[in-house]
Amino acid sequence: MKRIFTFFLMFGPTILWAQAQQPVRYIDKSTMNLSVKPGDDFNEYANGMWLKNNPIPAKETRWGSFNQLRDFNSNAIKTILEKSQEHKNHYQKGTVEKRVADFYAAAMDSIAIEKLGYEPIKSDLEKIKAITSKNEIYQKIPSFKVQGLGSPFYGFYVGQDRKNINTMAPQLSQGGTSLPDRDYYLKSDARSLKIQEALKNYIKTLFSLTGNTNEEALKNAEIIFGIEKKLAQAQMSRLEMRDPYKTYNKFAWADFQKSTPGLDWSNQFEILGVSKPDSILVTAPKFFTELSKVIDETSLEDLKVYLSWNILKNSASYLSSPFTQASFAYSQVLTGQKIQRPRWQRMSALTDDLIGELLGQLYVKEYFKPEAKARMVELVANLQKAFEIRIKNLDWMGDATKQKALDKLHAFTPKIGYPDKWKTYDGLEISDLSFYQNIKNASQWAYKENISQLGKPVDRTKWGMTPPTVNAYYSPVMNEIVFPAGILQFPFFDANADDAINYGGIGAAIGHEMSHGFDDSGSQYDKDGSLRNWWGKEDLEKFKAKTALLVAQFDGYVVLDSIHVNGKLTVGENIGDLGGLNVAYEAFKMTKQGKSKKKIDGFTPDQRFFLSYARVWRSNSRPETTAQLVQTDPHSPDQFRAIGAPVNMDAWYKAFKVKPGDKLYKKPEDRIKIW
């Protein structure tokens, strides 16, 4: 799987309709639980009645601010796409409107899809059956990537060299498994065993649907699970993958070839369509050494079964209903989702995933105002100024390191709303008659577009998210903070709201992404985006000591029965939250409202700021989803994000009169201050 070196905010959705309902009560007491003291459970105080009155819809795995906004954006996209269907025959060939309309029309033609069954993948499966030698297996592995069939065994992509950021380099990453995390294969607790059985049953079902007997399908499930378990044992853990130095392994071509004698990389790269480079970047060298052994020791017939499985799992969601139902039944065990999302919603999301910068052009015309972008530019500048003040006032960092930190802060590139230069998708064929072929074509196009970057200057205009996305990210190698149009809406942002609301919402989001440049991982990149130490030795030791305190704080939070938050896995996001909220508060105090004590709807400016922040994190989650995310997600559960940063801020204690004896109280000397 491609490793993308970005840090995501994972904020909740925002609701455009709130802007249309005037006047808006931005802090609504009816959604709060005023019977709870803020100092005992700030999340419950801020969001309690909303959480009680908003159960998770059957089609969702979680429901909160993010999901509401994403749901709104789904409906906004649906409106655009349905309008495109009404005028489809009037659009000129090759226009953005025509290509989007054709893609969605094919995706929604369920009658044609049902008639085809698994016909779209039949020839690919037959080609696997016809393989007669291990040499053909080695040929097939890279051809999957080129043909848009997935990435069996390992990932390959072209990306920036983290120590030479102006160079685009070929990179190999570990892969080959189907479950969300390697540990699911290695643990034997009841929850993990249940998920293992769900995967095996899913494998069995898909093979049965393509003509295998029940006995053959059961056997295939065991074969595939056995191969994937060996690959999982060779993989680096998620915690190890957080260390950018551990995953930066540069090999001379000949040296890497020696470490994996069973894999002819010259041949692999030739099929991948990439010239043999002088050197290659490898995220997990041990994995590839073991992979070479696994392929060598696995029989030809078992390898054919494994390759067939990769075709099946990568296509199941795009075939007839027996396949999509099997795929959903498997995901139900992982997430607890009750019913499948309606087809229009799944296909709208797929359109955004695969041709998002075509759809995005139509989205921003309807749903993103120029004044929103102008206001965001102003907010980013204010947050940057506040961050500068905080760095200068740090009492634990020396002057030389402070200057390096300021240099990095000043080098940040903000991207707001949508790209200045849109992808054209030149060469991508889209038909309104062939849904699965459109999927393959889009995958093939994306791969070719990626490898075409070799030997070219780094394109700093590219975006890693589409405009309708309700999220944001920071890229350390680009040293940029990116805010798609989708998140620039209430409750994160509303041009009509008072500053407390906007600074507690989108302001904290901006500060969060800025703080990723200075978290445990992002802080290892310099102002140019290079993986290079810029810290003084003593300053770095103090920083690590402070992050260790934050790890311990989140380790103490209990999520589900005996499951705790993983403080080490989530520390980057927790630093982002803590730094982001502090920086947003600093910027807020520079505003006229921030300097006043005038109440609105019974709350002081500071109270509104913190309540706005907590509201972003109101969320209900299914137990199965919660258990999975604790193991796989670098973000802490939402209820702990609502309290994790405020309990370390003196201003929060003052705003809500939190005192010793309150459950969330921390002594002033124990409050963690990093940025």
Side-chain angles (χ1 to χ4, degrees):
M1 187 169 135
K2 177 177 174 181
R3 177 165 168 75
I4 303 175
F5 295 95
T6 53
F7 298 85
F8 299 100
L9 175 65
M10 287 304 292
F11 269 101
T14 309
I15 314 169
L16 283 175
W17 48 256
Q19 296 179 3
Q21 297 176 346
Q22 296 296 333
V24 174
R25 178 158 289 172
Y26 292 102
I27 301 298
D28 185 351
K29 288 183 180 179
S30 70
T31 66
M32 302 169 66
N33 186 350
L34 299 175
S35 69
V36 173
K37 291 172 65 177
D40 283 344
D41 187 340
F42 187 56
N43 183 52
E44 178 65 20
Y45 169 77
N47 300 314
M49 294 309 293
W50 187 95
L51 294 171
K52 180 181 178 181
N53 295 325
N54 285 271
I56 305 166
K59 69 183 180 70
E60 302 289 344
T61 59
R62 292 190 284 177
W63 192 247
S65 293
F66 274 79
N67 308 91
Q68 283 183 308
L69 182 52
R70 287 176 184 143
D71 209 51
F72 171 83
N73 275 349
S74 277
N75 281 285
I77 290 170
K78 180 187 181 186
T79 300
I80 292 169
L81 292 171
E82 289 184 346
K83 181 180 177 182
S84 78
Q85 299 307 294
E86 294 173 12
H87 303 283
K88 188 164 74 76
N89 295 328
H90 301 290
Y91 296 137
Q92 290 187 358
K93 185 177 180 181
T95 61
V96 170
E97 291 82 359
K98 176 65 172 171
R99 301 177 85 192
V100 169
D102 284 350
F103 186 93
Y104 188 65
M108 291 300 291
D109 190 355
S110 55
I111 294 174
I113 293 166
E114 289 302 314
K115 285 180 181 177
L116 287 171
Y118 76 98
E119 188 68 31
I121 62 170
K122 195 173 282 187
S123 64
D124 289 320
L125 291 172
E126 290 299 327
K127 288 173 186 175
I128 301 301
K129 285 183 182 179
I131 291 174
T132 58
S133 69
K134 275 272 186 90
N135 183 55
E136 290 178 75
I137 293 287
Y138 286 115
Q139 304 279 326
K140 277 292 178 189
I141 292 169
S143 74
F144 268 50
K145 187 81 171 173
V146 178
Q147 295 169 14
L149 295 173
S151 298
F153 290 118
Y154 65 83
F156 171 77
Y157 63 99
V158 171
Q160 282 173 272
D161 183 330
R162 281 173 276 161
K163 291 189 177 181
N164 186 11
I165 49 93
N166 292 317
T167 299
M168 300 297 287
Q171 309 195 30
L172 290 169
S173 60
Q174 65 185 25
T177 49
S178 302
L179 289 172
D181 187 76
R182 67 187 285 272
D183 287 353
Y184 282 115
Y185 294 90
L186 311 180
K187 290 182 176 180
S188 56
D189 59 279
R191 185 177 282 114
S192 298
L193 291 175
K194 181 181 178 182
I195 290 171
Q196 290 173 20
E197 286 306 309
L199 173 62
K200 291 177 183 178
N201 187 59
Y202 182 39
I203 296 169
K204 172 184 145 328
T205 302
L206 292 190
F207 274 100
S208 297
L209 288 172
T210 51
N212 291 266
T213 66
N214 188 61
E215 185 180 359
E216 289 170 336
L218 283 169
K219 182 182 176 184
N220 289 348
E222 292 300 329
I223 289 168
I224 290 160
F225 189 84
I227 292 172
E228 293 194 353
K229 184 173 182 178
K230 289 177 182 176
L231 297 176
Q233 289 168 332
Q235 289 178 356
M236 293 174 71
S237 70
R238 285 180 184 267
L239 281 180
E240 291 175 298
M241 294 289 286
R242 279 193 53 73
D243 186 332
Y245 282 95
K246 281 187 178 179
T247 56
Y248 185 91
N249 303 282
K250 198 168 196 172
F251 286 87
W253 181 268
D255 291 340
F256 184 61
Q257 181 62 73
K258 288 176 186 174
S259 71
T260 56
L263 284 160
D264 181 352
W265 288 107
S266 294
N267 182 250
Q268 294 281 299
F269 269 53
E270 182 181 350
I271 297 170
L272 286 166
V274 176
S275 300
K276 185 173 79 172
D278 294 329
S279 61
I280 186 168
L281 291 171
V282 183
T283 57
K286 178 194 166 188
F287 172 81
F288 284 92
T289 302
E290 293 302 311
L291 172 62
S292 180
K293 294 177 185 175
V294 168
I295 297 176
D296 182 58
E297 293 169 1
T298 304
S299 72
L300 173 62
E301 290 306 311
D302 286 359
L303 289 170
K304 288 165 65 174
V305 168
Y306 175 77
L307 290 182
S308 296
W309 162 239
N310 275 263
I311 292 173
L312 288 169
K313 73 176 180 180
N314 284 298
S315 62
S317 297
Y318 314 128
L319 301 175
S320 58
S321 54
F323 291 88
T324 60
Q325 288 165 6
S327 181
F328 177 67
Y330 166 60
S331 72
Q332 278 187 297
V333 179
L334 294 173
T335 66
Q337 187 175 339
K338 302 301 181 186
I339 63 171
Q340 197 169 31
R341 290 179 180 179
R343 185 169 187 86
W344 71 261
Q345 195 165 30
R346 288 180 280 131
M347 295 305 106
S348 296
L350 184 65
T351 307
D352 187 36
D353 286 343
L354 297 183
I355 52 171
E357 289 196 25
L358 293 178
L359 177 62
Q361 292 176 59
L362 306 181
Y363 174 84
V364 298
K365 281 181 185 177
E366 298 288 337
Y367 296 100
F368 189 61
K369 306 293 185 212
E371 53 267 31
K373 184 166 185 173
R375 179 67 172 132
M376 270 295 291
V377 170
E378 178 188 347
L379 284 167
V380 169
N382 292 348
L383 267 289
Q384 201 164 19
K385 188 185 300 181
F387 212 134
E388 179 179 332
I389 292 169
R390 292 191 65 81
I391 290 173
K392 288 179 177 177
N393 290 336
L394 291 175
D395 60 5
W396 58 269
M397 182 181 279
D399 289 341
T401 307
K402 279 184 183 180
Q403 188 55 53
K404 296 285 180 62
L406 290 168
D407 290 343
K408 180 170 185 177
L409 175 68
H410 294 150
F412 276 178
T413 299
K415 292 180 177 177
I416 297 167
Y418 54 89
D420 293 327
K421 183 176 78 174
W422 295 99
K423 284 183 184 178
T424 62
Y425 299 87
D426 285 347
L428 172 58
E429 292 187 18
I430 299 173
S431 165
D432 62 351
L433 300 174
S434 181
F435 174 51
Y436 183 73
Q437 191 61 49
N438 286 342
I439 302 293
K440 282 185 72 173
N441 290 350
S443 182
Q444 291 170 10
W445 183 90
Y447 176 71
K448 288 177 184 176
E449 194 254 354
N450 177 249
I451 65 171
S452 72
Q453 297 173 78
L454 267 179
K456 294 180 182 176
V458 173
D459 185 353
R460 296 187 174 274
T461 68
K462 282 184 176 291
W463 279 52
M465 287 180 177
T466 64
T469 304
V470 183
N471 213 328
Y473 71 91
Y474 168 78
S475 169
V477 288
M478 300 286 270
N479 199 23
E480 64 182 16
I481 50 175
V482 184
F483 300 91
I487 197 173
L488 304 181
Q489 305 169 48
F490 183 81
F492 298 101
F493 171 74
D494 185 338
N496 297 314
D498 53 295
D499 282 331
I501 300 303
N502 281 331
Y503 278 88
I506 200 65
I510 296 167
H512 175 103
E513 298 309 335
M514 287 182 173
S515 297
H516 269 316
F518 303 96
D519 70 14
D520 64 312
S521 182
S523 63
Q524 299 184 67
Y525 296 80
D526 67 12
K527 67 182 180 65
D528 299 319
S530 295
L531 186 59
R532 183 185 300 128
N533 180 51
W534 49 270
W535 290 76
K537 184 179 179 182
E538 289 185 9
D539 297 322
L540 185 57
E541 289 174 355
K542 290 176 182 176
F543 174 69
K544 288 181 177 179
K546 286 177 175 291
T547 62
L549 294 174
L550 203 59
V551 168
Q553 175 184 324
F554 279 82
D555 275 343
Y557 293 140
V558 179
V559 184
L560 196 67
D561 47 67
S562 61
I563 301 176
H564 285 241
V565 176
N566 186 334
K568 288 183 178 178
L569 178 63
T570 59
V571 66
E573 297 299 330
N574 298 333
I575 293 171
D577 285 348
L578 180 58
L581 193 59
N582 271 287
V583 172
Y585 182 75
E586 184 92 30
F588 171 59
K589 298 307 283 183
M590 297 177 192
T591 68
K592 182 179 178 180
Q593 185 189 20
K595 294 172 183 175
S596 79
K597 298 187 183 300
K598 183 180 177 182
K599 291 184 177 181
I600 300 176
D601 294 329
F603 296 103
T604 68
D606 276 19
Q607 288 173 334
R608 290 173 68 78
F609 171 86
F610 286 109
L611 287 169
S612 176
Y613 174 76
R615 180 181 52 196
V616 163
W617 299 117
R618 62 188 184 194
S619 175
N620 288 310
S621 178
R622 299 195 189 283
E624 297 90 342
T625 296
T626 299
Q628 179 184 333
L629 292 176
V630 167
Q631 188 164 325
T632 62
D633 192 352
H635 303 84
S636 296
D638 291 345
Q639 68 266 37
F640 301 116
R641 298 186 75 174
I643 65 173
V647 298
N648 288 302
M649 294 176 63
D650 297 342
W652 176 75
Y653 287 82
K654 185 177 179 182
F656 294 99
K657 297 181 173 57
V658 180
K659 293 180 169 48
D662 292 343
K663 293 176 183 178
L664 294 177
Y665 181 83
K666 294 176 75 171
K667 296 177 183 177
E669 61 270 24
D670 293 336
R671 295 168 197 169
I672 304 164
K673 296 175 174 62
I674 303 179
W675 298 107

